[in-house]
Amino acid sequence: MKESATKILIIEDEMIIGANISLQLTKLGYEIIGIISRGEEALLFIKENEPDIILMDIRLKGKLDGIETAQQIQKEYDTPIIYITANADEAHFNRAKSTKPQAFISKPFKKLDLQRAIELTLSRIGDNEGRENVVKNNPDSRYILSDSIFVRHHEKMLKIIISNIFYVEAERNYCRIYSKDKNYLLVMTLKTLDEKLPKEHFMRIHRSFIINISQIDEVGSTYVVVAKRAIPISKIYREELLKRLQTV
């Protein structure tokens, strides 16, 4: 790994198999942050830890099977999931497919199959990061100057010029900054980002949107147009927005 080892969580109900997978992947340079046998425990574990990839067995101990656990994870996180299972029948495959996993590996599997599945997953993640900068939510990850905001991307601080930002849109527990050059996906809520952005430039006009006031091209009765996109404006924010605009 170039910067730090990829963190992998193994969710597997047979601990011997889980330990064997852990040993193989550790030898390949990956960091195994946990081996868990129950979906309920995995959900709690993920809240305190941030795996880069999850290896998920479909058959698990407890109330939730692997597919149900994956569905719960995907309500809050974007973590890639690779299924490893002995239940490779059509019914299980169709259920698993609905969660859009990165791969589906049937037991018994070869070490090379697992290695390639992880490498392909990391390749896809890398491609996505090439299109947009995915920012981890560290307490010190945002720094704001008078003309720019800095966000942490891996070990680097990336500078975004405030005047280049069009608007910010909420996506569950994430928010996406749309700017002239790139889009940036931040792992934080819109409320948190709203508290950090300078109020002289930005305003929240909807539960899902913050806009750069200087980028407004048109104001309608229920929307504003920014960068050719019509963005809804809630009634409670409209009067305040008009006060901040120079109107004649």
Side-chain angles (χ1 to χ4, degrees), residues 58 84-94 96 104-108:
I58 286 181
I84 302 175
T85 182
N87 298 318
D89 58 81
E90 193 70 17
H92 281 98
F93 177 75
N94 287 332
F104 191 96
I105 303 174
S106 298
K107 296 177 183 177

Side-chain angles (χ1 to χ4, degrees), residues 101-103 117 119-129 131:
Q102 297 292 323
E119 289 177 356
L120 284 172
T121 299
L122 291 173
S123 177
R124 294 187 187 113
I125 294 172
D127 289 343
N128 288 337
E129 289 183 351
R131 291 190 293 268

Side-chain angles (χ1 to χ4, degrees), residues 85-207:
T85 182
N87 298 318
D89 58 81
E90 193 70 17
H92 281 98
F93 177 75
N94 287 332
R95 284 184 63 218
K97 188 170 64 173
S98 68
T99 64
K100 299 180 180 179
Q102 297 292 323
F104 191 96
I105 303 174
S106 298
K107 296 177 183 177
F109 57 86
K110 297 178 181 178
K111 177 182 176 181
L112 185 59
D113 293 335
L114 182 58
Q115 180 181 351
R116 285 175 174 172
I118 292 173
E119 289 177 356
L120 284 172
T121 299
L122 291 173
S123 177
R124 294 187 187 113
I125 294 172
D127 289 343
N128 288 337
E129 289 183 351
R131 291 190 293 268
E132 61 185 28
N133 294 292
V134 180
V135 182
K136 299 294 183 181
N137 185 19
N138 296 319
D140 62 341
S141 64
R142 287 87 53 193
Y143 296 89
I144 297 175
L145 302 178
S146 60
D147 66 341
S148 58
I149 176 174
F150 281 81
V151 294
R152 187 181 299 280
H153 180 236
H154 298 307
E155 299 303 318
K156 300 177 181 178
M157 298 298 294
L158 298 179
K159 181 179 181 180
I160 310 175
I161 303 299
I162 287 175
S163 61
N164 288 342
I165 297 174
F166 292 125
Y167 60 91
V168 185
E169 182 176 6
E171 296 183 12
R172 295 182 182 178
N173 291 330
Y174 300 77
C175 54
R176 190 184 302 275
I177 294 178
Y178 289 85
S179 73
K180 291 180 180 179
D181 302 318
K182 297 179 181 177
N183 298 336
Y184 301 83
L185 185 65
L186 279 65
V187 187
M188 69 177 74
T189 64
L190 194 70
K191 179 181 178 181
T192 299
L193 184 60
D194 187 31
E195 293 170 352
K196 301 291 183 180
L197 289 172
K199 301 304 179 185
E200 63 269 27
H201 298 287
F202 297 93
M203 178 179 170
R204 188 168 185 171
I205 63 168
H206 186 272
R207 64 182 181 181

Side-chain angles (χ1 to χ4, degrees), residues 19 54 57 70 91 130 132 226:
I54 296 173
D57 188 10
E132 61 185 28
V226 177

